[in-house]
Amino acid sequence: MEFPVGGTGVDITVPTVADAVREPVENVALTLLDGDGNSTGPEVRGTVRDAP
């Protein structure tokens, strides 16, 4: 994924699968890396929950 030069944000979709299996809360983490593989800032974390 690439970000536009001068951009201040981008939407990222985390795909999920809707099924009948009740699962525990799951987590997702995003770390942005530059072209050399170095982190460009803090890791962003979120929670994924099944819809009711």
Side-chain angles (χ1 to χ4, degrees):
M1 171 181 280
E2 293 187 18
F3 296 89
V5 174
T8 59
V10 65
D11 290 329
I12 298 172
T13 301
V14 178
T16 59
V17 176
D19 58 24
V21 178
R22 183 110 175 117
E23 299 175 289
V25 173
E26 297 176 291
N27 298 303
V28 62
L30 173 69
T31 302
L32 301 178
L33 306 174
D34 65 16
D36 294 324
N38 300 307
S39 177
T40 62
E43 181 177 78
V44 178
R45 295 180 165 268
T47 302
V48 179
R49 294 190 173 99
D50 286 339

